[in-house]
Amino acid sequence: MRKSWPYTTPGIPDEFFIRGDIPMTKEEVRTVTLAKARLGPGQVVWDIGSGTGSLAIEAARLIGNGTVYAIEQNPVARELIRKNIYQFDLKNIKVIEGRAPEALLPLPVPQRVFIGGSGGKLEEIINLLQIRLNPGARVVINALTLETLTRILVLLDQLPWKKEVVQVSVTRAVSRGNYHLLHALNPVWIIAVQKEGDEGGG
Amino acid sequence: MRKSWPYTTPGIPDEFFIRGDIPMTKEEVRTVTLAKARLGPGQVVWDIGSGTGSLAIEAARLIGNGTVYAIEQNPVARELIRKNIYQFDLKNIKVIEGRAPEALLPLPVPQRVFIGGSGGKLEEIINLLQIRLNPGARVVINALTLETLTRILVLLDQLPWKKEVVQVSVTRAVSRGNYHLLHALNPVWIIAVQKEGDEGGG
Amino acid sequence: MRKSWPYTTPGIPDEFFIRGDIPMTKEEVRTVTLAKARLGPGQVVWDIGSGTGSLAIEAARLIGNGTVYAIEQNPVARELIRKNIYQFDLKNIKVIEGRAPEALLPLPVPQRVFIGGSGGKLEEIINLLQIRLNPGARVVINALTLETLTRILVLLDQLPWKKEVVQVSVTRAVSRGNYHLLHALNPVWIIAVQKEGDEGGG
Amino acid sequence: MRKSWPYTTPGIPDEFFIRGDIPMTKEEVRTVTLAKARLGPGQVVWDIGSGTGSLAIEAARLIGNGTVYAIEQNPVARELIRKNIYQFDLKNIKVIEGRAPEALLPLPVPQRVFIGGSGGKLEEIINLLQIRLNPGARVVINALTLETLTRILVLLDQLPWKKEVVQVSVTRAVSRGNYHLLHALNPVWIIAVQKEGDEGGG
């Protein structure tokens, strides 16, 4: 049965998505990630390393007639994205097969970019974005490893982009018999950057 | 000058609000709090202990022709809420003077309730909600103190509501000369409960 | 082969202990827990719900000719404690079979008490401690669940003990191929209380 | 009046130290930092960027007839260190005036090094340590800024040292009238490295 999510707030519960073995951005971190992107109607959004597509699906619901490009190299994950798109009955997500940055070249210029995974090509992706993005465009990177965090910070130090860095740590009370264990989710570093200049539209 | 926030995502940056000395729910925690409430068009929302009104303002933008009642006993805070409402040019927030639970009695039954401050009357407020709320209604409490956390958990143990408890900790990289200090915001416990039963509408 | 730990600092690495399936207080939290207890030579220490015995073993090394009583109802855990005692070649730990509070009755009055697990008898244990402990005695409780945290705080509100409450969250960079994943350990609440009055000795 | 700390556990409460306006490593993080250093009798310890000297003082108590060199360029901080040394009546700390790495050159080779502040000379200090330290020596760095974290990780990637990285976040329940506010201390990244090879002694 298809899922319906009749609400305007993002943060669709994790269990609403089909997940398989692919790691998924948890709902609380997903919500903050979307907020830092500042989504709006008509935007073109790239979701690089889309995974289960949970971020792509939430974004698609928030951009009206805009389009999300979900770029993912793993065929198992792409299948999951397609299933989740079907579940939530969305028409404005295109699943793109291939690796960044090559797979990004034919796509229309985005106003918003999410980077959830970079397949070791973070520097090349950032270089491409620096060339192609228009003023006011925003990029939101989720870093789950020490190396991604370090690399993105070193890369951004050389760019004239406005940078915002937050770490979000969520602990959930998880039912265990008569108790609720305090279970920590892994912290996620959210790095939001905006290309110098104002957006033409929004 | 009035602020415009042309985006569909919540999480309006803290600095967009007029704040004074009243504590404000920070944007990341505000975003997750709104998500846990599951807001949608036409809802009646109570924001008990509204403070600066940042949560009320975000909620008002997400419920279309619904109405937010911002209940606040502190006149300085109420003045701030009114200024922020003016800033964001919102028509669907009513500022309610008085203390909960008394001030809640004349208000229409809400589908969603935020509790940011209880003025020591948490038990009375929860009792009122248990009587007045319809099935499927959701209540989201932000606890910043050990006592509020403990009391709400003890109270909820006696109610047949579905309970979800998360702690959200945000660390921000704050510019200090050539460095970015890792600055921890105080953790907030977000307790989201749903009254047994399905919502009639949404 | 027996382990040697020639250092004066606590915080023996987790992998030095034999663990089985019994949960263990991780080295960083163990270190802070020991610190809050303020251990010294000659003390009698109770470790209630001793688990793998890691806290008991560290304590034993820090109290000279004092004695640690490791109380544990689970025979599998008791076997682990004994193996760990052998490993670290300690003579001043006594493993006590049984449940608290009953198993505590024959034991000599402690100057320091750790509570890692209470088998649902937290109230009875605290009542016993309130009666038996001498002025200046310290009790350190590790709470990993919402219920233990709530109960201990409600109980302590009725006692004239000086209370200190901290939450410790540790994230470790864990090697995964070429990356180090930021892996969050579950947060632990450490509640340290001191019975009114000064210690006679130390 | 002089302070006495008759306990064998580190983690002397913050308020036992004279602090002035100099930032101090808080007791919980100090305790874990000391643990990661693995201190023992007879060690030579460098405390680079000693600040209030709280780490130096705790270390001095744990190394018996060893010696701590507290290197600090700020005269106000050096005065604080001296006052704290007097308070705790310690004979085995030498306060070293000057900047690292220059000030380190005349000092005896250490078995343990703390780096709390580097005055922008982190690379030079690490290079010096790589040359001078003997196998098995341990270095523990506390990073409070994004830049220090990034730089130390980039530097360590080029060295054959065994690296351990943890982030420690402490939240304290702080009394505010009838409530205890959950107050987050800033997170500290603790990077512990050990030079390849075994220690000759300990």
Side-chain angles (χ1 to χ4, degrees):
Chain A
M1 208 191 72
R2 293 198 172 180
K3 299 282 180 189
S4 95
W5 187 253
Y7 306 113
T8 50
T9 39
I12 299 175
D14 295 346
E15 62 269 23
F16 276 56
F17 295 94
I18 304 172
R19 302 166 65 170
D21 293 329
I22 305 294
M24 187 173 73
T25 312
K26 302 299 187 298
E27 61 189 83
E28 295 86 359
V29 168
R30 201 187 322 125
T31 304
V32 178
T33 302
L34 292 158
K36 296 295 183 190
R38 304 185 185 177
L39 299 178
Q43 290 173 342
V44 171
V45 177
W46 291 357
D47 182 26
I48 304 175
S50 190
T52 58
S54 65
L55 209 49
I57 277 161
E58 296 243 35
R61 297 179 66 259
L62 295 160
I63 55 169
N65 60 340
T67 305
V68 176
Y69 294 86
I71 300 99
E72 176 56 54
Q73 53 167 304
N74 178 343
V76 176
R78 282 201 305 277
E79 190 53 29
L80 270 183
I81 302 173
R82 287 202 184 90
K83 282 183 183 166
N84 278 314
I85 292 172
Y86 176 80
Q87 277 239 97
F88 285 95
D89 195 19
L90 290 161
K91 312 294 187 196
N92 61 343
I93 307 182
K94 293 191 197 312
V95 181
I96 305 296
E97 181 180 336
R99 286 176 166 275
E102 297 76 21
L104 305 171
L105 296 175
L107 304 181
V109 174
Q111 281 87 45
R112 298 292 184 265
V113 179
F114 295 104
I115 306 181
S118 63
K121 300 285 187 181
L122 197 53
E123 183 163 5
E124 292 84 345
I125 294 169
I126 295 291
N127 286 344
L128 179 88
L129 294 177
Q130 167 63 3
I131 294 167
R132 291 199 66 190
L133 293 185
N134 289 318
R138 292 179 70 85
V139 180
V140 183
I141 301 121
N142 281 8
L144 285 79
T145 69
L146 220 44
E147 287 74 13
T148 303
L149 176 63
T150 305
R151 281 173 206 166
I152 191 69
L153 293 175
V154 169
L155 286 169
L156 291 178
D157 261 358
Q158 301 153 14
L159 292 174
W161 298 357
K162 230 172 37 189
K163 177 178 67 177
E164 183 190 357
V165 179
V166 299
Q167 184 191 242
V168 179
S169 295
V170 173
T171 294
R172 290 186 183 162
V174 176
S175 186
R176 289 272 184 283
N178 293 323
Y179 287 87
H180 287 82
L181 182 68
L182 297 170
H183 175 68
L185 305 181
N186 290 344
V188 178
W189 287 81
I190 302 175
I191 299 109
V193 291
Q194 179 160 337
K195 213 175 169 186
E196 66 281 27
D198 281 329
E199 297 191 273
Chain B
M1 208 191 70
R2 292 194 174 184
K3 300 283 180 189
S4 95
W5 187 253
Y7 306 113
T8 50
T9 39
I12 300 175
D14 296 346
E15 62 270 22
F16 276 57
F17 294 95
I18 305 172
R19 301 166 65 171
D21 294 328
I22 304 294
M24 187 172 72
T25 311
K26 302 299 188 297
E27 61 191 81
E28 295 86 0
V29 168
R30 202 187 320 125
T31 304
V32 178
T33 302
L34 291 158
K36 296 294 183 191
R38 305 186 184 175
L39 299 179
Q43 289 173 343
V44 170
V45 177
W46 290 358
D47 182 26
I48 303 176
S50 191
T52 58
S54 65
L55 208 50
I57 277 161
E58 296 244 36
R61 296 179 65 259
L62 295 160
I63 56 169
N65 60 340
T67 305
V68 177
Y69 294 85
I71 300 100
E72 177 55 55
Q73 52 168 304
N74 178 343
V76 177
R78 282 200 306 274
E79 190 54 29
L80 270 182
I81 301 173
R82 289 204 182 88
K83 283 184 182 165
N84 278 315
I85 292 172
Y86 177 80
Q87 278 238 98
F88 285 95
D89 195 18
L90 290 162
K91 310 295 187 199
N92 60 343
I93 306 181
K94 294 192 197 310
V95 181
I96 306 297
E97 180 180 339
R99 286 175 167 273
E102 297 77 20
L104 304 171
L105 296 176
L107 303 182
V109 173
Q111 281 86 48
R112 297 295 183 263
V113 179
F114 294 105
I115 306 180
S118 62
K121 301 284 188 180
L122 197 54
E123 183 165 4
E124 292 84 345
I125 294 169
I126 295 293
N127 285 344
L128 179 86
L129 294 176
Q130 168 63 2
I131 295 167
R132 291 199 65 191
L133 294 185
N134 289 318
R138 291 179 70 84
V139 180
V140 183
I141 301 122
N142 280 8
L144 286 80
T145 69
L146 220 44
E147 286 75 13
T148 304
L149 177 63
T150 304
R151 281 174 205 165
I152 191 69
L153 292 176
V154 169
L155 286 169
L156 291 178
D157 262 358
Q158 302 153 14
L159 292 174
W161 297 358
K162 231 173 35 189
K163 176 178 67 177
E164 183 190 357
V165 180
V166 298
Q167 183 191 244
V168 178
S169 295
V170 173
T171 293
R172 290 185 183 163
V174 177
S175 186
R176 290 273 183 283
N178 292 324
Y179 288 87
H180 288 82
L181 182 69
L182 296 170
H183 175 69
L185 305 181
N186 290 344
V188 177
W189 288 82
I190 302 176
I191 299 109
V193 291
Q194 180 161 336
K195 210 172 171 189
E196 66 281 26
D198 280 329
E199 296 193 274
Chain C
M1 208 191 70
R2 291 197 173 182
K3 300 283 180 190
S4 95
W5 188 252
Y7 307 113
T8 50
T9 39
I12 298 175
D14 295 345
E15 62 269 22
F16 276 56
F17 295 95
I18 305 172
R19 301 166 66 171
D21 294 328
I22 304 294
M24 186 174 72
T25 310
K26 303 298 187 299
E27 62 190 81
E28 296 87 359
V29 168
R30 202 187 322 124
T31 305
V32 178
T33 302
L34 291 158
K36 296 295 183 190
R38 305 185 185 176
L39 299 179
Q43 291 173 342
V44 170
V45 177
W46 291 357
D47 182 27
I48 304 176
S50 190
T52 58
S54 65
L55 208 49
I57 277 161
E58 296 244 38
R61 296 180 65 259
L62 295 160
I63 56 169
N65 61 340
T67 305
V68 177
Y69 294 85
I71 300 100
E72 177 56 55
Q73 52 169 304
N74 178 343
V76 177
R78 282 200 305 275
E79 189 54 29
L80 271 182
I81 301 172
R82 288 205 183 88
K83 283 183 182 166
N84 278 314
I85 292 171
Y86 176 80
Q87 277 240 97
F88 286 94
D89 195 19
L90 290 161
K91 312 293 187 198
N92 59 343
I93 306 182
K94 294 192 198 309
V95 182
I96 305 297
E97 181 180 337
R99 289 176 164 273
E102 296 77 21
L104 305 171
L105 295 176
L107 304 181
V109 174
Q111 282 86 47
R112 298 295 184 261
V113 179
F114 295 105
I115 306 180
S118 61
K121 301 284 187 181
L122 197 53
E123 183 164 5
E124 291 83 346
I125 294 169
I126 295 293
N127 286 345
L128 178 88
L129 294 176
Q130 168 62 4
I131 294 166
R132 291 199 65 190
L133 293 185
N134 289 319
R138 292 179 69 84
V139 181
V140 183
I141 302 122
N142 280 8
L144 285 81
T145 69
L146 220 44
E147 286 73 14
T148 304
L149 177 64
T150 304
R151 281 173 205 166
I152 190 69
L153 292 175
V154 169
L155 286 170
L156 291 178
D157 262 358
Q158 300 153 14
L159 292 175
W161 297 357
K162 230 170 39 185
K163 176 179 67 178
E164 183 190 357
V165 180
V166 299
Q167 185 191 241
V168 178
S169 294
V170 173
T171 293
R172 289 185 183 163
V174 177
S175 186
R176 291 270 184 284
N178 293 323
Y179 288 88
H180 288 82
L181 182 69
L182 297 169
H183 176 68
L185 305 181
N186 290 343
V188 177
W189 287 82
I190 302 175
I191 299 108
V193 291
Q194 180 161 335
K195 210 174 171 187
E196 67 280 26
D198 280 328
E199 295 192 272
Chain D
M1 208 191 69
R2 292 195 172 184
K3 299 282 181 190
S4 96
W5 187 252
Y7 307 113
T8 50
T9 40
I12 299 175
D14 296 344
E15 63 269 23
F16 276 56
F17 295 95
I18 305 172
R19 302 167 64 172
D21 295 328
I22 304 294
M24 186 173 73
T25 310
K26 302 299 186 297
E27 61 190 81
E28 295 87 359
V29 168
R30 200 186 323 122
T31 304
V32 178
T33 302
L34 292 158
K36 297 294 183 190
R38 304 184 186 178
L39 300 179
Q43 291 174 342
V44 170
V45 178
W46 291 357
D47 181 27
I48 304 176
S50 190
T52 57
S54 65
L55 209 49
I57 278 161
E58 296 243 37
R61 297 180 65 258
L62 295 159
I63 56 169
N65 61 340
T67 305
V68 177
Y69 294 85
I71 300 100
E72 177 56 55
Q73 53 168 305
N74 178 343
V76 177
R78 281 200 305 276
E79 188 54 28
L80 270 182
I81 301 172
R82 288 205 184 87
K83 282 184 183 165
N84 279 314
I85 292 171
Y86 176 80
Q87 277 239 98
F88 285 94
D89 194 19
L90 290 161
K91 311 294 187 199
N92 60 342
I93 307 182
K94 294 192 197 309
V95 181
I96 305 296
E97 181 179 338
R99 287 175 166 274
E102 296 77 20
L104 305 171
L105 296 175
L107 304 181
V109 173
Q111 282 88 46
R112 297 293 183 264
V113 179
F114 295 105
I115 306 181
S118 62
K121 301 284 187 183
L122 196 53
E123 184 165 4
E124 291 85 345
I125 294 169
I126 295 292
N127 286 344
L128 178 87
L129 294 177
Q130 168 63 4
I131 294 166
R132 292 198 66 190
L133 293 184
N134 289 318
R138 293 179 68 85
V139 180
V140 183
I141 301 122
N142 281 7
L144 285 79
T145 70
L146 221 43
E147 287 75 13
T148 303
L149 177 64
T150 305
R151 280 174 207 164
I152 191 68
L153 292 176
V154 169
L155 286 169
L156 291 179
D157 262 358
Q158 301 152 15
L159 292 175
W161 296 357
K162 231 172 38 187
K163 177 178 67 177
E164 183 190 357
V165 180
V166 298
Q167 184 190 243
V168 178
S169 294
V170 173
T171 294
R172 289 186 184 162
V174 176
S175 186
R176 291 269 184 284
N178 292 324
Y179 288 87
H180 288 83
L181 182 69
L182 296 170
H183 175 68
L185 305 182
N186 290 344
V188 177
W189 288 81
I190 302 176
I191 299 109
V193 291
Q194 179 160 335
K195 211 173 171 188
E196 65 281 27
D198 280 329
E199 296 192 272

